[in-house]
Amino acid sequence: MIPRDLSKDIKTRLQSINGQIHGLIKMLDEDANPDKILIQFKAAQKGLDKAHFLLLDETYRKALAIKISETVDACPGDCGNEDRIEFIRKQFPDLELDTLTSKMSEIAELRKRITDREI
């Protein structure tokens, strides 16, 4: 679930981008200067990238933090994966968004191994 304030922020950004897109279409219809059109394309892209980042940061970074915390709690120090867990935990603040999904998979696999070992 996306928090309401984040959802509102993203929707506001998308509405602004929608206005920029309509402005781009109008500029193209009016044969505007290509340099001005390019500037508007860059502005729209920057806005879309920011909205995308906000959503990814909320959904993946926080989910990974929760998974790391759960996995660390499940590994009391003798689960055989302490080094990998600690490595991911230390990397967490510096992880790029495009690596978050792979790290989430890795943590999920470690968590599964720990759980299977407990059974």
Side-chain angles (χ1 to χ4, degrees):
M1 184 72 104
I2 299 171
R4 284 187 188 260
D5 59 332
L6 177 63
S7 181
K8 183 179 177 185
D9 185 19
I10 291 172
K11 288 193 296 188
T12 299
R13 288 173 189 278
L14 292 174
Q15 289 167 343
S16 176
I17 294 164
N18 188 33
Q20 289 173 315
I21 299 298
H22 285 295
L24 278 164
I25 293 169
K26 184 177 177 184
M27 291 172 81
L28 290 166
D29 287 342
E30 296 172 353
D31 287 329
N33 180 321
D35 291 337
K36 290 183 179 183
I37 294 171
L38 181 60
I39 290 169
Q40 287 303 310
F41 266 111
K42 288 180 181 180
Q45 184 63 55
K46 186 175 179 181
L48 193 57
D49 288 345
K50 180 64 176 173
H52 184 211
F53 172 82
L54 290 171
L55 180 62
L56 286 176
D57 192 57
E58 176 68 25
T59 56
Y60 290 112
R61 190 172 299 277
K62 288 184 180 177
L64 180 57
I66 290 167
K67 292 285 185 196
I68 288 171
S69 177
E70 289 172 351
T71 304
V72 168
D73 289 345
C75 181
D78 61 353
C79 65
N81 295 295
E82 297 85 2
D83 292 342
R84 287 180 70 195
I85 294 168
E86 185 61 16
F87 176 74
I88 293 170
R89 190 186 67 72
K90 284 182 178 177
Q91 272 189 325
F92 178 75
D94 301 322
L95 289 175
E96 298 292 326
L97 286 176
D98 59 349
T99 62
L100 287 175
T101 53
S102 66
K103 292 299 180 189
M104 285 199 52
S105 296
E106 188 175 347
I107 278 289
E109 180 59 33
L110 288 170
R111 177 82 171 119
K112 183 181 180 315
R113 281 192 219 156
I114 292 167
T115 303
D116 290 347
R117 195 166 169 228
E118 292 173 352
I119 294 177

